[in-house]
Amino acid sequence: MHELERVREQLAPIAAQLGRALIAVDFDGTLAPIVQRPEDAVALPDAVAALRDLAPRVSCLAVITGRPVEFVAHQLTLDTQPFPVVLRGAYGREHWQNGDVRQPPPPDEVRAAAADLAALLATAPAGVLLEDKGSGVAVHTRQAVDPAGALGLLDEPVRAVAARHGLHVEPGRYVLEVRPFGIDKGTALLDLVREHQPQAVLFVGDDLGDLAAFEVVEQLRERGLAGVTVCAGSAEVPTLAERADLVVDGPAGVAVLLSELVRLAAG
Ligand SMILES: [Mg+2]
């Protein structure tokens, strides 16, 4: 089947009740291509334009990400050209809506773990980076000469630091994220479902951290809601692609998918 036809077929149950739908998308690897340095990530203009078109037509449009909400708000040009989208950052810990920000201070144990990880990385392979995400801390190996080798080398010591501070480790695309237990994209999505009571839910992600949200969509589907999971595909994360209802070609494919949703709903 032609790719666009497959996209349309999978989106049909969502498009049929778009006004009652909750559409949630991840940021990195989903709206913005993965880059060497996380601070250089930029959302694809086509993806932002598609979100802007979609926002007024749905019950709730949300971006659920591990990033701080203010970074994503700026990326989506919400500071200059706002549109109705809610942001859940730091895996749901941070909230952004209409410019109002709820950003609880970083947990003490995360700050302590960040200091230990900084010390650990002093002896790590060149190119390994520490990203302070406020509510969590991430160790990136993408810029190392051997990213997979560096990730393997750091896996155990990073887990030991996390365990010492009672924190959880989430592996991702050449990254190990250390953050509190019980905070993930699944709980963030579920909070939005409780708030908006949608009839249909679409979630788009690209990495292992998105699996928790996929599970929530699958559970909602068992309860009779229309639910669709989409993977912004890459060769790096076959596990998520296998689990998804639909795989599209990275952020560019996501932009097409979101535009197609608007087109389908318009008939
Ligand atoms: Mg991602």
Side-chain angles (χ1 to χ4, degrees):
M1 197 188 285
H2 186 267
E3 171 153 359
L4 203 55
E5 273 176 49
R6 205 178 62 241
V7 167
R8 287 181 182 141
E9 188 180 273
Q10 288 289 340
L11 290 180
I14 307 290
Q17 43 196 343
L18 197 61
R20 305 288 310 274
L22 164 58
I23 310 293
V25 298
D26 161 54
F27 183 75
D28 289 282
T30 300
L31 296 175
I34 295 289
V35 288
Q36 289 287 333
R37 299 189 316 158
E39 63 268 35
D40 294 339
V42 176
L44 284 187
D46 283 358
V48 178
L51 288 176
R52 195 174 282 281
D53 280 350
L54 189 59
R57 300 163 195 265
V58 299
S59 169
C60 174
L61 176 67
V63 176
I64 301 178
T65 171
R67 295 269 199 174
V69 282
E70 279 163 331
F71 176 84
V72 176
H74 179 67
Q75 284 281 323
L76 299 184
T77 64
L78 294 173
D79 31 12
T80 52
Q81 296 165 280
F83 59 93
V85 59
V86 300
L87 308 181
R88 293 289 182 268
Y91 296 88
R93 231 177 143 253
E94 297 183 5
H95 292 201
W96 184 102
Q97 190 158 3
N98 298 327
D100 294 329
V101 178
R102 194 182 96 191
Q103 209 166 19
D108 289 345
E109 58 272 30
V110 170
R111 286 215 305 269
D116 284 4
L117 290 171
L120 176 70
L121 261 51
T123 56
V128 175
L129 297 176
L130 197 63
E131 182 193 7
D132 188 349
K133 295 178 134 183
S135 296
V137 58
V139 176
H140 295 268
T141 67
R142 186 171 289 274
Q143 284 199 83
V145 174
D146 175 9
L151 196 70
L153 203 67
L154 285 163
D155 188 78
E156 202 186 306
V158 168
R159 284 177 192 281
V161 169
R164 195 154 66 233
H165 295 285
L167 296 166
H168 169 69
V169 177
E170 179 90 54
R173 296 170 71 173
Y174 297 130
V175 59
L176 295 164
E177 285 210 22
V178 176
R179 62 170 191 264
F181 278 97
I183 294 175
D184 61 40
K185 292 187 185 177
T187 54
L189 181 61
L190 211 45
D191 274 351
L192 290 168
V193 168
R194 287 197 193 103
E195 190 180 332
H196 295 276
Q197 302 280 314
Q199 292 295 312
V201 178
L202 175 80
F203 183 85
V204 193
D206 76 303
D207 207 348
L208 295 176
D210 298 306
L211 272 176
F214 273 31
E215 281 166 16
V216 167
V217 174
E218 289 160 6
Q219 286 161 14
L220 293 169
R221 196 153 55 198
E222 280 169 25
R223 286 193 240 148
L225 267 76
V228 176
T229 55
V230 181
C231 172
S234 74
E236 286 174 8
V237 196
T239 317
L240 199 74
E242 284 161 18
R243 183 78 171 261
D245 297 317
L246 182 64
V247 181
V248 297
D249 187 15
V254 173
V256 171
L257 171 120
L258 296 172
S259 310
E260 209 48 45
L261 196 51
V262 174
R263 207 163 297 146
L264 280 173

